[in-house]
Amino acid sequence: METLIKELNQYLSDLSVFYRKLQNYHWNVKGSDFFVVHEKLEEYYNKINDQIDEVAEHILMLNSEPLGTMKDYLDNTCIVEAKNEKIDGCEVIKNIITDYTTLLKKVSEIKEEADNQKNYGTSSLMDNYISLYMKNLWMLNQTISK
């Protein structure tokens, strides 16, 4: 169970840093696609915020403690923070494709570990995220394909 909790806390860290990154991009996106990207980023960070709460509560349901400080998150994340600067909408999309790919890999690893431990509640939760991230990646990739 210790490995699973560690992976869930790493995922929680990734989600928390990704949430801040999406908000940063929301505030700093520029370009001809501003309105579309600005609105989509808000949709994404609201959904990620829900996932943060869901994962933290799931860790608590497993009788463990979720990480809760920005220092903890930054020490345990695979997501790179966004800079405080204006950024073109196309660059934003490319960057969040990278991040959603990272999240998809992480939830797939957690699902595999949960299945190995016969922790089907965690496995089922990861199924939801796998489907969501795959759909988001498909849509984002359609946005930048020529």
Side-chain angles (χ1 to χ4, degrees):
M1 182 68 85
E2 186 176 321
T3 300
L4 187 58
I5 297 300
K6 181 179 179 187
E7 287 186 13
L8 284 166
N9 266 313
Q10 287 172 340
Y11 176 51
L12 180 62
S13 298
D14 289 341
L15 288 173
S16 297
V17 173
F18 188 47
Y19 172 82
R20 297 301 321 154
K21 185 175 192 173
L22 290 169
Q23 272 199 325
N24 185 317
Y25 284 159
H26 175 77
W27 298 326
N28 287 299
V29 68
K30 65 176 184 170
S32 60
D33 53 357
F34 168 82
F35 287 107
V36 173
V37 175
H38 182 78
E39 185 175 327
K40 194 63 165 174
L41 289 166
E42 185 171 358
E43 177 186 322
Y44 284 157
Y45 71 68
N46 284 333
K47 185 67 177 164
I48 293 294
N49 189 50
D50 291 342
Q51 293 171 14
I52 290 167
D53 188 55
E54 198 169 43
V55 171
E57 288 178 353
H58 188 76
I59 292 168
L60 289 165
M61 288 169 38
L62 297 174
N63 294 316
S64 195
E65 294 296 320
L67 297 177
T69 69
M70 287 307 296
K71 180 177 181 349
D72 286 339
Y73 298 150
L74 291 170
D75 288 345
N76 288 285
T77 189
C78 294
I79 303 291
V80 176
E81 286 185 285
K83 296 179 181 174
N84 290 320
E85 60 189 24
K86 296 297 180 196
I87 184 167
D88 183 73
C90 190
E91 284 303 306
V92 167
I93 291 170
K94 288 176 184 175
N95 291 346
I96 62 176
I97 285 172
T98 298
D99 293 335
Y100 270 121
T101 300
T102 298
L103 293 174
L104 178 58
K105 182 176 185 273
K106 175 53 82 181
V107 295
S108 297
E109 291 168 355
I110 292 169
K111 177 180 176 46
E112 188 174 320
E113 180 65 28
D115 285 344
N116 289 340
Q117 294 185 23
K118 298 187 181 341
N119 184 320
Y120 302 119
T122 301
S123 178
S124 176
L125 182 62
M126 295 305 112
D127 284 336
N128 296 334
Y129 298 147
I130 289 168
S131 295
L132 176 63
Y133 298 160
M134 288 177 68
K135 183 174 182 178
N136 286 351
L137 282 164
W138 167 68
M139 289 181 165
L140 288 163
N141 279 302
Q142 294 306 306
T143 302
I144 62 170
S145 66
K146 301 245 178 195

